Amino acid sequence: MGNSRARRRIATAIAAILSAAAHAQQAPTAENKPDLETVTITGSLLKRTDIETPSPVQVITSDDLKDSGYTNLSDVLRNLSANGQGALGQSFGQAFASGGSGIALRGLTVGGTLTLIDGQRMVAFPLSDDNQRSFVDISAIPFNAIENVEVLKDGGSAEYGADAIAGVVNIKLKKTFVGAEITAEGGTSYKRDGTGYHLAGIFGTGDLVNDGYNAYVAIDFHKTDAIEASSRSGGFANLDWSGLPGGINTTPGAAGNPYVTYPGSTTGYLINPNTASGQPYSFLPGCSQAAQNANQCTFAFPGLIQPPSEQTNVLAKFTKGLANDWLFSLTGSVFVSNAEQVAPSSSSNPFPGTAYGSGGQTNIAFGPGVPPHLVSYPAITLPATSPLNPYGVPANLVYNFADVGPQITDVSTTTYRLIADVKGSLLGWDVDADVGAMYASMSVKQFGDFSYGAAQTAINDGIYVPGFTNNGGSYLAPEVSFHPSSTLDIAGVQAQREVAQLPGGPLGLAVGAQYYYQAQNAQSAPSLVDGTQIGDPVYTIGSQSNVAVFTEVDAQIFKMLEVDGAVRYDHYNTYGGTATPKFGVKFAPIDMLTFRATWGKGFRAPSISESGQSGEIFGAGATNDPVLCPGGVQNVKGTFNSQCGVQLIGYQVSNPNLKAVTSNNLSFGVIFEPLSNFNVSVDWYKIRLTNDIISQFEAGGLSDYTALVRGPAAQQAQCTATTTGGAACPTQIVTTPVGLAAFAEYPYVNAGITQTEGIDIDMRTHWDLGAIGKVKAQLTWTRVLEYNETVQGQTFDLAGTHGPSGISGDTGNPKDRGTLSVTWERSGASLTVSENYTGPFSITDPSAGLDTCQIALSDSATSAYGPRFTGLTPLPAQWYPYCTVHKFVETNLYANYTVSSHLSVHGSVTNLFNANAPVDLQTYGGGGELAYDGALEQDGAVGRYFTVGATYKF
């Protein structure tokens, strides 16, 4: 109902704008031409001629985009020096937000960065990061329609509302375009894989000044092929670490891994049911015990470093000049993005990871209106009647169903956007009103979600014979599909004018109001919800609306002194209201020197996942059963020692009583411009988040759950007498008085505090060298001085570590990131060399208890392949190099040559020197489940990549 009412209000507002535009329309005259020179810089509501505002803003021009050597926006923004921990890339094989890409300014997650298009909000990706944080997918915006990208590296909630805690990325589209331009590009890696194709065209007609209108259409098509993990070598691709002291061979199927009860097998073997140890095994044809022990039966995980992807984006804009300098514009777009995600297989048997006990599979089934409950399946057995079973009784089967394959998620997302805008002057005010509707519809298809029940039935009936039948995927893991969606409707109006003239210039005032409604509906397939198939049935359902009013005053008090103040009040129907002020000052005592500073507050409203209806499961960690192991003390009469360190599964649920996350933002900067062609700025920032939304288990510990759900009672060893000195107690096998702990329920709570501090350096220069040509250079650098997280009253300094490792893809938290580019131009030719730098950081994460390198190496089970180190004490020196994720430096090259006034050709090489991604033995976000980070160092896994293309202008 709320959605329907909102859409009716939006439709009415669009009709009102169109009606006003029609009544105001008349043929423009020479004296009545639209003003095309106004500039509004991100971070301010007021127009200005001086582009240096009190807030630091980095501008990436359309030329900068081309000179980067990339052909899509997500790759360019990935290398922003201010982008850090918590960023998302499409290569992450186990992401909740399959197929999405987002940036995290200041390392404060994608939920703390607001992404705008032409100053207006964009609909959120239908799936949330970690099923918690809402974000905008930046991989689906036409490259050729972008005029520039402005990055506000300061809080922006006073101007734009929620989510602008760490900053704002404002993607500005071309206002007008006349003519036609077509670009065709093709590229491939040095291994001749990952081949990509890019076709783009932009076509426009009508001169806004002379004809009174302009219309253009931009079309952009990308297609990129896959790069398999097995096709790359180097430390980050290494699976066999047994050559180092205490090292483990993590190759699937390898013997001797202490963390794997039984080595995997794609041919299969049976566990002897007639011996207590389960040995010897009976191997099915294709492998033997000797061959397995010699690691001759290993197999590769068919993971992807670069998943195949395809984007088709169409954007059209119509602008009409009206009477009295009024302008009307209508922008519509359709973005279609297809991507694939590959995760490890769910069909390993009999010990693939269980909620409790051992053997078989226990699924936690849940969904909207379906309380979480356990669905248990015993370990798969080969029946006694099978000719492959020599034991005469059913025997447990160890088998990786290779024909089922890995878990593959194919995602197709179509995003629709329609924005109407009218602007002009009324009663001395410059007025800008807009209204729009956006909708993102996703189709998710998953393959490889294994069904234990179907597998056992097929084996019992002889339909499926392990090791011989190779087409069982269709009925052992039938395709599942579901269709998440996301909606955003917006309407707003703002007005500004000069209200007085001060000694230094005008006193400007802006006022405005805004309304938006957003909804999300993401529900898993029924077979995942009821536990029939293995998968993660996460869900988010809900909506929220917001009404806001805001104002800004900018005073040029003296020529050398500018003061700016803004305040905004947002009221959400879900939690209430938040007021966010911001003040800024810019002081230029001399022409070449400017000081600037800002102070402000920001907020992030609880997302729909956090405050609506949602659920997900996660590995919470080891804890003590309060009934079966009271106080966590072993060897006490009546205690079940096996339940003194049980691995508990967490069930994360929403909380409608959440408050907004709030922030305090400070910045201070110096701009030095001794020459007209040289400019350098240094800005210090500090951001403090309070009321951060985290899981209650993070806030209060594993025992701080709201409910503990138990499975059935089980036969377990119970101590019959108390012993001391660590001696084992005598035991007897009895039925537990209560069921074994299965999972605990934890809601989201406002409990976290995060504080980060750092320095940005931005330098630009250009020189005309006469006959030699022209040279321009720019450097951006970010140094993180502090990144503190406070949980349960304890503060952890995480700058330069892997923490906080529990969010997004466990990106890591480097202290330094930077980009340097130098461009030479002469006689229609240009050459750009870029250096992208990511500094080193430790693999430790004190906030997760990974305080030392030794612990981090041996406790990194979040990685798909598990720990690579057994935990020898002291840590052998051979492992020291892997205690640090070393720096990553890549060089990109871009060249362009203008053949004629119509034709230009270009080429680029990214990762020119084929630098390998540094080894990261802690992350779980690497493409293909390898030991590197895919969000920040993807080019290091792909390797040297060549692109050539041509642009023709009509």
Side-chain angles (χ1 to χ4, degrees), residues 35-346:
D35 182 7
L36 305 179
E37 303 302 323
T38 57
V39 176
T40 301
I41 303 298
T42 302
S44 175
L45 305 174
L46 292 158
K47 301 172 186 176
R48 57 190 297 130
T49 57
D50 180 7
I51 64 172
E52 295 287 4
T53 70
S55 295
V57 178
Q58 178 182 348
V59 180
I60 305 171
T61 67
S62 57
D63 287 340
D64 294 334
L65 294 175
K66 295 175 183 178
D67 292 345
S68 70
Y70 297 108
T71 60
N72 63 78
L73 183 62
S74 60
D75 284 337
V76 176
L77 296 183
R78 182 184 69 221
N79 289 313
L80 282 175
S81 65
N83 182 35
Q85 192 271 349
L88 288 176
Q90 286 188 328
S91 64
F92 181 18
Q94 301 180 86
F96 282 88
S98 304
S101 180
I103 68 170
L105 295 178
R106 307 306 186 199
L108 296 178
T109 79
V110 291
T113 298
L114 178 62
T115 301
L116 306 173
I117 298 181
D118 279 338
Q120 297 153 334
R121 287 180 175 265
M122 182 63 180
V123 65
F125 196 60
L127 297 176
S128 300
D129 175 34
D130 286 343
N131 197 46
Q132 179 183 3
R133 291 170 289 273
S134 179
F135 71 101
V136 173
D137 179 21
I138 58 174
S139 66
I141 298 173
F143 206 58
N144 59 342
I146 299 174
E147 183 66 31
N148 62 53
V149 179
E150 294 179 353
V151 182
L152 172 66
K153 297 188 284 189
D154 188 16
S157 288
E159 294 87 4
Y160 305 108
D163 307 331
I165 287 176
V168 178
V169 175
N170 188 11
I171 301 159
K172 292 190 172 182
L173 304 176
K174 296 181 186 296
K175 294 181 179 179
T176 62
F177 185 84
V178 178
E181 181 178 299
I182 297 176
T183 297
E185 297 172 306
T188 192
S189 77
Y190 75 109
K191 290 272 192 176
R192 298 184 181 180
D193 57 5
T195 301
Y197 312 90
H198 179 214
L199 299 174
I202 184 168
F203 313 91
T205 183
D207 183 88
L208 194 55
V209 175
N210 298 316
D211 302 324
Y213 78 95
N214 178 263
Y216 74 82
V217 176
I219 303 172
D220 192 284
F221 172 78
H222 272 93
K223 179 176 172 53
T224 305
D225 294 338
I227 296 178
E228 297 180 358
S230 58
S231 69
R232 293 298 185 264
S233 59
F236 71 92
N238 180 37
L239 302 182
D240 185 1
W241 296 86
S242 60
L244 299 182
I248 300 169
N249 186 351
T250 61
T251 306
N257 189 333
Y259 296 102
V260 176
T261 308
Y262 298 100
S265 174
T266 54
T267 56
Y269 57 96
L270 303 178
I271 300 173
N272 188 345
N274 301 317
T275 64
S277 65
Q279 294 187 13
Y281 310 140
S282 176
F283 280 77
L284 278 61
C287 189
S288 66
Q289 181 73 73
Q292 185 186 74
N293 291 341
N295 290 333
Q296 296 174 357
C297 303
T298 59
F299 54 96
F301 164 57
L304 300 177
I305 284 176
Q306 176 175 288
S309 63
E310 182 178 302
Q311 293 91 32
T312 303
N313 305 317
V314 180
L315 184 146
K317 184 172 184 178
F318 173 76
T319 305
K320 177 66 177 175
L322 308 175
N324 301 318
D325 290 337
W326 282 75
L327 283 175
F328 168 75
S329 67
L330 185 66
T331 306
S333 61
V334 179
F335 304 152
V336 181
S337 177
N338 300 310
E340 185 173 277
Q341 176 176 292
V342 179
S345 172
S346 64

Side-chain angles (χ1 to χ4, degrees), residues 780-806:
T780 59
W781 192 277
T782 298
R783 169 75 173 181
V784 179
L785 302 175
E786 174 187 81
Y787 191 106
N788 289 343
E789 186 178 76
T790 302
V791 179
Q792 301 180 42
Q794 187 173 2
T795 299
F796 306 97
D797 186 0
L798 304 180
T801 76
H802 228 298
S805 56

Side-chain angles (χ1 to χ4, degrees), residues 92-95 252 301-304 341-348 352 400 404-408 447-450 534 862-866 924 926 928-930:
F92 181 18
Q94 301 180 86
F301 164 57
L304 300 177
Q341 176 176 292
V342 179
S345 172
S346 64
S347 62
S348 304
N400 291 76
V404 170
Q407 290 179 302
I408 297 175
F447 307 89
D449 290 334
F450 193 66
I534 298 176
T862 48
S863 168
Y865 294 116
Y924 52 85
E929 318 308 325
L930 299 184

